[in-house]
């Protein structure tokens, strides 16, 4: 593990701890009720997690849409655009606790590790449908049901499992839906052993929100085409299986910086205002 | 929107829009609505309810 990767892991660990700093909740099974929950964190972190000290933007967005009296979600939408403009999908690479969990799972040795496969590119579009249908349209139509959270969100399932460990009364309300969600989580855990960040690649609605911002966010990559020798080292090293030499600001790039570390010519770099000229896209 | 200047303009427009949306949300007490939902265990959100 190089310096850059160690730094990222440290930032991810600190971000996960800060977003889940209600440590006593893990022992008591009681969730945090303080003012921090007025604010949404940039990553996917369920507000029903016993450790969560702030709110999940996807949960909060669905909550605004499921109200009987529709209210436009100004605040959550504003925060999402704000995080998107500043960081783009660097949120996924550095700040999302569920991203960290998937990264750690992928480090576990497994007989078959898959970098990419034939349908990989097309499957990545699913997350945009998840955002549109499960997070926006269905919750707005079927009032009172945050469909993505209720049926898919693995962060919520993890929170549920943590709460079940501490609150025996919750065992009485377990139903088929929870078993379905546990199956989804188990599938993602298994997939994470083989593929790097399957949830981020194919399903995460928050990744779908931040993806279009990658081209204009303050955190961006730039390629010095004169230095690039097209060796392909960046593409081979990319955990998200994108080709930074072709598109340094791909919507799939989570800004992990692995391509920067392996480039023998230092042709790739983070954009610093007024320093290097960006590749026209 | 390929030029650096174009991107900068778009960035500023979106950033301003984001700040306006956040301010509008605060004005209509959106953060309180977010808080109200987030301080109770949402059984539906975790798939239990």
């Amino acid at each position: 593990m190089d310096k850059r990767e160690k730094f990222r892991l440290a930032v991810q660990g600190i971000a996960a701890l800060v977003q889940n700093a209600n440590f006593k909740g893990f022992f008591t099974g009681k969730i945090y009720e303080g003012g921090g929950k007025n604010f949404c964190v940039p990553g996917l972190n369920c507000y029903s997690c016993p450790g969560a000290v702030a709110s999940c933007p996807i949960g909060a967005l669905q909550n605004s849409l499921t109200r009987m009296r529709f209210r436009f979600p100004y605040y959550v939408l504003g925060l999402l655009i704000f995080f998107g403009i500043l960081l783009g999908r660097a949120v996924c690479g550095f700040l999302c606790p569920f991203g960290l969990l998937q990264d750690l799972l992928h480090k576990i040795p497994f007989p078959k590790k898959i970098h990419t496969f034939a349908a990989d590119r097309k499957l990545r579009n699913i997350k945009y449908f998840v955002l549109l249908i499960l997070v926006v349209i269905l919750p707005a139509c079927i009032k009172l049901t945050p469909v993505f959270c209720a049926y898919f969100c693995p962060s919520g399932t993890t929170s549920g499992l943590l709460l079940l460990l501490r609150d025996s009364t919750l065992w009485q309300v377990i139903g088929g839906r929870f078993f379905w969600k546990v199956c989804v989580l188990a599938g993602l855990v298994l997939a994470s052993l083989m593929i790097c960040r399957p949830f981020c690649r194919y399903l995460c609605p928050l990744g779908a929100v931040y993806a279009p911002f990658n081209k204009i966010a303050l955190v961006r990559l730039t390629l010095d085409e004169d230095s690039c020798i097209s060796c392909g080292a960046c593409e081979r090293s990319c955990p998200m299986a994108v080709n930074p030499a072709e598109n340094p600001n791909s919507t799939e790039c989570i800004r992990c910086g692995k391509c920067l570390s392996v480039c023998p010519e230092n042709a790739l770099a983070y954009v610093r205002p007024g320093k290097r000229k960006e590749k026209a896209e | 929107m390929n030029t650096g200047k174009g991107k900068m303009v778009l960035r500023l427009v979106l950033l301003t829009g984001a700040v306006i949306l956040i301010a509008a949300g605060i004005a209509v007490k959106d953060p309180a609505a977010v808080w109200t939902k987030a301080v109770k265990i949402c059984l539906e959100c975790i798939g239990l309810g």
Side-chain angles (χ1 to χ4, degrees):
Chain A
M1 196 188 289
D2 67 6
K3 262 187 180 175
R4 204 184 299 273
E5 186 62 10
K6 280 182 188 165
F7 171 74
R8 188 170 74 95
L9 196 59
V11 173
Q12 284 178 295
I14 292 166
L17 285 175
V18 169
Q19 291 171 65
N20 294 285
N22 181 41
F23 303 122
K24 72 174 182 190
F26 291 111
F27 301 99
T28 61
K30 303 272 180 252
I31 66 169
Y32 173 76
E33 295 177 350
K37 285 196 169 171
N38 281 299
F39 183 73
C40 293
V41 290
L44 199 74
N45 196 68
C46 182
Y47 44 44
S48 289
C49 174
V53 293
S55 295
C56 170
I58 290 295
L61 180 64
Q62 283 179 101
N63 182 39
S64 329
L65 298 170
T66 52
R67 282 192 210 124
M68 290 312 282
R69 271 185 62 201
F70 178 79
R71 261 173 79 164
F72 187 81
Y74 299 103
Y75 178 66
V76 183
L77 211 57
L79 283 174
L80 287 172
I81 296 172
F82 186 76
F83 294 137
I85 286 290
L86 292 186
L87 301 165
R89 287 198 76 181
V91 168
C92 312
F94 285 82
L95 301 177
C96 181
F98 201 72
L100 169 64
L101 182 68
Q102 289 173 93
D103 280 347
L104 295 176
L105 285 168
H106 193 63
K107 285 184 193 295
I108 297 171
F110 196 77
K112 183 133 179 99
K113 295 278 183 190
I114 302 165
H115 185 60
T116 186
F117 53 95
D120 185 19
R121 301 261 164 230
K122 283 184 181 163
L123 288 176
R124 289 176 196 228
N125 294 323
I126 294 173
K127 60 179 172 288
Y128 300 102
F129 291 101
V130 170
L131 173 66
L132 197 68
I133 296 168
L134 301 184
V135 176
V136 178
I137 296 175
L138 286 180
C141 298
I142 312 167
K143 296 289 181 188
L144 306 176
T145 307
V147 181
F148 175 73
C149 293
Y151 291 94
F152 293 96
C153 183
S155 177
T157 316
T158 313
S159 303
L161 289 170
L162 289 169
L163 286 167
L164 283 170
L165 289 175
R166 288 289 154 199
D167 190 346
S168 54
T169 58
L170 291 175
W171 285 91
Q172 294 161 13
V173 289
I174 287 184
R177 187 163 63 184
F178 191 67
F179 286 111
W180 157 253
K181 282 195 73 179
V182 170
C183 289
V184 171
L185 178 65
L188 285 168
V189 168
L190 188 65
S192 297
L193 297 172
M194 294 183 273
I195 305 167
C196 186
R197 290 181 173 242
F199 181 69
C200 305
R201 281 191 196 199
Y202 311 119
L203 297 172
C204 183
L206 207 46
V209 171
Y210 294 136
F213 288 104
N214 255 10
K215 293 193 189 309
I216 53 165
L218 288 183
V219 179
R220 296 190 311 287
L221 291 182
T222 177
L223 173 77
D224 181 353
E225 286 180 78
D226 297 332
S227 305
C228 179
I229 53 169
S230 304
C231 64
C234 52
E235 188 180 8
R236 286 192 298 275
S237 73
C238 179
M240 296 296 281
V242 296
N243 183 358
E246 208 173 78
N247 183 3
N249 293 308
S250 157
T251 52
E252 296 300 316
C253 173
I254 58 165
R255 309 303 191 207
C256 68
K258 278 190 181 167
C259 53
L260 278 69
S261 302
V262 299
C263 180
E265 302 295 324
N266 293 321
L268 285 156
Y270 285 112
V271 170
R272 279 187 282 170
K275 290 278 176 185
R276 286 174 86 165
K277 207 177 163 187
E278 281 186 75
K279 181 187 177 185
E281 285 154 23
Chain B
M1 207 49 75
N2 286 343
T3 63
K5 198 178 172 188
K7 277 182 184 172
M8 181 59 80
V9 171
L10 183 60
R11 206 174 291 139
L12 281 174
V13 168
L14 285 171
L15 205 56
T16 310
V19 172
I20 291 169
L21 282 172
I22 293 168
I26 291 170
V28 297
K29 298 190 170 50
D30 266 0
V34 170
W35 180 85
T36 306
K37 180 74 178 176
V39 294
K40 292 180 205 134
I41 293 176
C42 173
L43 292 179
E44 277 200 312
C45 301
I46 54 181
L48 286 173

